[in-house]
Amino acid sequence: MKAAADGPDGAPPGLWRDADFRRLWVGQTASQFGAQSTMVVLPLLAVVSLHATSGQLGFLRAVEQLPNLLLSLFAGAWVDRRRARTVMVSADCGRALVLAVLPAAYLLGLLGLPVLLVVALLVGVLSVFFDVAYQASLVRLVGRDRLMRGNSALEGSRSAAQIGGPALGGLLVSLFAGPVAVVPGAFFFVWSALSIRRIRRREPVPARGDGPARVRQQILEGLRFVAGSTSLRAVGIASALFQFWFAALMTVYLLYLPRGLHLSGTAVGVALAAMGPGAVAGSLLAARLPGRFGYGKVLVSSAVVADGVMLCVPALDGSAAVTLPVLIGVNFAFGTFGQLVNVTMMAVRQAITPVRIQGRVVATINFAGMGLTPVGSLLGGFLAGRWGLRTTLLVTAVALSLSPLFMAFSPLARLGRHLRHERPTGPLDACRQRTDSTRTAPDPLREEFSPPDATGARRARTRWQGRRRG
């Protein structure tokens, strides 16, 4: 069944005229905002309602992020062998039910840090599977000619949620008392499940015998593909540097605003909410700047501005009338340029990754980028307890500059205004080419894959058979 009428001359309909794609996009966007806001609501709930210490807050944030380290690679191979939409709907429903535990525990007088830790862990596990599944779902839903535009729309939503989600979380804590702040997050997950379930186009069951039979081998193929590309390696390393120190910074940041600057819950929510409009501005800039100035220049310069502006926060002091406007400006700038980095980095990754291995490549990049965030959160809480909030915030803000510094000396900085798309001959040929060949693997941004010379192979086989008969 077609979701929309064909375009002129039998061409496929426009992406946004495809009703099934719109349902996927709405569901994915709602789910991403629910997940990202929950990751802020739970720590703020621990600080404001449960009066958690810096060490306890660091541990809670580490538990939230631990599934990225433990399950990302497995989830990529597992989802590649199942119906992605079933995985997404199940993950959404599961997260909504888990969040509903918090208000119930509060009414029963059982709400405490242990309950919060269990909820954070379960939400994190289900979020890992959803994040990998929506990537695979798009590949099975739209034609290859619309895949890049579809990926850009979905990844733009995810990037916006990564920036605007914390803003939404802060706003929810300021509007709703106690664990009631998690209810809107549960609503987002239910909305996502209903939207994705309405997709009408049938999704084929992935052939479980296609490619390596064992999950471990599939995981290794994703790792080899990323390791075989200098550009993908650079994406993974830059992401890991940023996410590690950003996790440490955010642990301290969420303590510093209410306890260091003595801001009310409402003021904290307003300050964090400024990232949302900034993310929108960054998305608009991402549509034009890389094509005009080059992907490398935009990546490095945007990362420098986004990370550098956070150095203003430790210098703040005084009343809320002075600090709050500055925080709003800082968070707006961080949201703008952070979103610009996210969308541009996503475009680079999509230009390199073959369609059929996207789940594993995304999982590998997520593992590299997010795998160490639990350690970063623990480190932030530990240092805050030893050095104090302001000193630790300054150290972690300075450490954020390691990511743009690495990008400035990596192949990413040399990217121009155009990205070349690779055309693998099969779903895993690129991996096998890197695994079996002893020469240095080509970077897909500079050299396209070409299919093997089948004609030459047949001629050689014919000559050999002729000599054998002779």
Side-chain angles (χ1 to χ4, degrees):
M1 178 183 296
K2 292 185 180 182
D6 288 348
D9 302 323
L15 188 66
W16 293 106
R17 294 174 57 199
D18 188 331
D20 282 339
F21 173 78
R22 292 199 305 269
R23 294 178 184 120
L24 174 64
W25 178 79
V26 168
Q28 181 258 3
T29 301
S31 183
Q32 291 296 325
F33 271 93
Q36 295 297 328
S37 63
T38 299
M39 289 187 68
V40 172
V41 168
L42 296 183
L44 285 178
L45 182 61
V47 172
V48 176
S49 299
L50 302 180
H51 309 289
T53 65
S54 59
Q56 290 173 331
L57 183 62
F59 185 68
L60 173 63
R61 283 182 52 79
V63 168
E64 280 184 315
Q65 299 151 347
L66 187 62
N68 289 301
L69 175 63
L70 300 181
L71 295 175
S72 288
L73 296 177
F74 170 78
W78 191 82
V79 169
D80 273 347
R81 298 156 66 90
R82 284 162 177 82
R83 282 193 175 99
R85 291 175 220 163
T86 302
V87 175
M88 289 188 289
V89 172
S90 301
D92 280 330
C93 293
R95 287 181 290 184
L97 290 174
V98 168
L99 287 181
V101 170
L102 291 178
Y106 176 75
L107 293 175
L108 296 173
L110 301 176
L111 183 62
L113 191 61
V115 175
L116 214 57
L117 290 171
V118 173
V119 169
L121 179 63
L122 292 178
V123 170
V125 169
L126 295 170
S127 295
V128 167
F129 282 91
F130 183 94
D131 287 346
V132 176
Y134 84 76
Q135 299 269 353
S137 178
L138 179 68
V139 177
R140 303 167 192 175
L141 182 66
V142 304
R144 179 152 189 160
D145 59 322
R146 299 185 296 167
L147 185 61
M148 288 300 294
R149 285 176 290 164
N151 267 322
S152 297
L154 294 183
E155 287 301 295
S157 297
R158 185 175 74 94
S159 297
Q162 288 177 333
I163 301 297
L168 177 61
L171 187 61
L172 293 176
V173 171
S174 68
L175 294 177
F176 300 99
V180 181
V182 304
V183 173
F187 169 76
F188 275 116
F189 293 134
V190 172
W191 184 12
S192 172
L194 293 176
S195 180
I196 293 171
R197 192 177 180 184
R198 292 181 61 233
I199 296 175
R200 297 180 180 180
R201 201 166 304 160
R202 293 189 61 184
E203 179 181 359
V205 181
R208 300 194 181 187
D210 185 19
R214 290 181 296 180
V215 171
R216 178 176 173 273
Q217 288 177 313
Q218 290 185 314
I219 291 173
L220 290 176
E221 283 168 344
L223 288 169
R224 289 180 185 128
F225 184 85
V226 174
S229 166
T230 57
S231 295
L232 277 180
R233 285 201 309 269
V235 168
I237 294 172
S239 178
L241 288 171
F242 171 79
Q243 295 293 349
F244 177 84
W245 288 110
F246 185 67
L249 181 142
M250 281 301 294
T251 300
V252 187
Y253 193 53
L254 293 175
L255 285 167
Y256 182 71
L257 295 186
R259 296 182 183 176
L261 298 180
H262 307 290
L263 297 179
S264 64
T266 302
V268 171
V270 170
L272 292 176
M275 293 184 187
V280 175
S283 298
L284 296 175
L285 292 175
R288 296 181 177 274
L289 295 187
R292 182 173 182 180
F293 299 104
Y295 284 83
K297 292 180 180 178
V298 170
L299 270 176
V300 176
S301 59
S302 299
V304 168
V305 176
D307 297 345
V309 75
M310 297 303 293
L311 291 170
C312 300
V313 179
L316 292 178
D317 197 9
S319 66
V322 176
T323 59
L324 184 57
V326 177
L327 283 172
I328 292 174
V330 166
N331 288 330
F332 180 85
F334 179 80
T336 300
F337 292 97
Q339 175 74 342
L340 184 54
V341 173
N342 286 340
V343 176
T344 306
M345 194 82 80
M346 170 268 300
V348 173
R349 191 193 71 225
Q350 289 173 347
I352 300 172
T353 306
V355 174
R356 294 287 300 278
I357 199 174
Q358 281 190 10
R360 275 160 280 180
V361 170
V362 170
T364 302
I365 296 296
N366 287 347
F367 174 78
M370 303 295 293
L372 292 178
T373 53
V375 183
S377 295
L378 289 173
L379 179 64
F382 173 76
L383 294 180
R386 296 291 296 270
W387 296 348
L389 295 177
R390 191 182 298 270
T391 302
T392 304
L393 192 61
L394 177 61
V395 170
T396 53
V398 171
L400 278 181
S401 62
L402 292 175
S403 179
L405 181 64
F406 170 80
M407 283 194 287
F409 292 96
S410 75
L412 297 176
R414 298 190 292 272
L415 296 177
R417 292 182 295 174
H418 303 285
L419 299 176
R420 301 180 68 181
H421 301 256
E422 64 180 34
R423 297 179 178 86
T425 58
L428 298 176
D429 284 355
C431 299
R432 297 188 182 109
Q433 181 176 350
R434 286 167 168 77
T435 303
D436 299 337
S437 178
T438 56
R439 67 178 176 85
T440 302
D443 190 331
L445 291 179
R446 299 191 181 92
E447 181 177 328
E448 293 185 327
F449 286 94
S450 58
D453 188 354
T455 304
R458 285 195 298 269
R459 289 174 179 171
R461 185 165 59 251
T462 301
R463 288 196 299 269
W464 176 82
Q465 289 172 349
R467 288 196 299 268
R468 185 177 181 183
R469 285 195 297 269

